[in-house]
Amino acid sequence: WNPREPLNDKLLILPDDDGDGKADRCIVFADKLHNPTGFEFWNGGVLVAQAPDILFLKDTDGDGKADLRVRILHGIDSADTHHTANSFILGPAGHLYFQRGVFHVTAIETPWGPTFRSTSTGMYRLDLKSHNVTRHFGMGPNPHGNAFDRWGFQFATDGTSGNGFYIGFPGKGTPKQLYKKKVRP
């Protein structure tokens, strides 16, 4: 980011109006964003990681453009965008799960005050009703990969170590190593 230039990253909608598998239009859902590193659909809108914030963006008038912007929480470290909040996914119970890597000190605040402080890399869980954030489990140093299967098992990967993990339903318990390192010497 060049501090002398305006911030203007975007989230785009690419509708396939005629069903041929190709985008027919490009709608700017949200602009004036700063390096969004994760997003997930929620509550008729989108949750977006834009360090130091997680925002909720929603189209309330049906024109395909976000006209509602709400800061859900504040304090996601932006020291290294490669390691900031990423891999957003809603879990089976409706919590938002995300990962973040090393080189960060997280001091999360919501509109209701400070909720969480951490210097540890790993998987985090945001309760979207209470806005409480917890460290779900440790992994790292560079976690980038997060999914749930149809039975509620959570799978997570780390880009630097190459290790993969899983945790049982409903996202509770101790993570178990899924496979041995397969990448990077």
Side-chain angles (χ1 to χ4, degrees), residues 11-29 63-65:
L11 286 182
L12 306 174
I13 300 172
L14 302 168
D16 176 10
D17 297 319
D18 57 12
D20 67 355
K22 297 178 184 176
D24 296 305
R25 296 179 288 136
C26 178
I27 300 168
V28 177
F29 176 72
D63 66 356
K65 300 176 191 233

Side-chain angles (χ1 to χ4, degrees), residues 63 70 160:
D63 66 356
V70 177
T160 298

Side-chain angles (χ1 to χ4, degrees), residues 9 11 89:
D9 290 324
L11 286 182
I89 192 165

Side-chain angles (χ1 to χ4, degrees), residues 59-76:
D59 171 17
T60 63
D61 61 11
D63 66 356
K65 300 176 191 233
D67 45 34
L68 175 68
R69 259 181 214 230
V70 177
R71 179 187 291 163
I72 298 294
L73 59 83
H74 179 78
I76 302 292

Side-chain angles (χ1 to χ4, degrees), residues 2-185:
N2 183 339
R4 296 179 186 184
E5 295 178 9
L7 306 174
N8 201 22
D9 290 324
K10 300 172 177 67
L11 286 182
L12 306 174
I13 300 172
L14 302 168
D16 176 10
D17 297 319
D18 57 12
D20 67 355
K22 297 178 184 176
D24 296 305
R25 296 179 288 136
C26 178
I27 300 168
V28 177
F29 176 72
D31 60 3
K32 297 184 175 90
L33 297 173
H34 180 209
N35 194 29
T37 56
F39 73 93
E40 176 66 290
F41 298 102
W42 176 72
N43 198 27
V46 180
L47 294 164
V48 179
Q50 173 187 280
D53 302 322
I54 293 181
L55 304 175
F56 175 63
L57 308 175
K58 187 173 184 174
D59 171 17
T60 63
D61 61 11
D63 66 356
K65 300 176 191 233
D67 45 34
L68 175 68
R69 259 181 214 230
V70 177
R71 179 187 291 163
I72 298 294
L73 59 83
H74 179 78
I76 302 292
D77 195 330
S78 61
D80 180 348
T81 55
H82 178 71
H83 292 279
T84 196
N86 68 80
S87 302
F88 276 25
I89 192 165
L90 289 174
H95 302 304
L96 179 70
Y97 292 84
F98 63 94
Q99 296 167 304
R100 77 149 180 87
V102 298
F103 312 125
H104 287 267
V105 175
T106 297
I108 293 175
E109 295 185 15
T110 72
W112 299 273
T115 64
F116 185 76
R117 308 259 188 262
S118 175
T119 59
S120 301
T121 182
M123 177 78 66
Y124 292 85
R125 178 176 55 214
L126 168 61
D127 182 328
L128 291 163
K129 291 181 182 175
S130 69
H131 289 86
N132 286 329
V133 176
T134 55
R135 184 168 180 249
H136 187 46
F137 63 85
M139 63 179 297
N142 187 15
H144 281 90
N146 189 9
F148 284 90
D149 69 12
R150 70 176 96 185
W151 298 282
F153 286 91
Q154 186 174 18
F155 297 86
T157 60
D158 177 69
T160 298
S161 70
N163 291 320
F165 301 89
Y166 74 95
I167 191 166
F169 181 82
K172 293 186 178 180
T174 303
K176 309 222 178 352
Q177 190 164 11
L178 183 59
Y179 53 82
K180 297 290 182 188
K181 183 175 175 175
K182 299 285 185 189
V183 297
R184 293 191 180 180

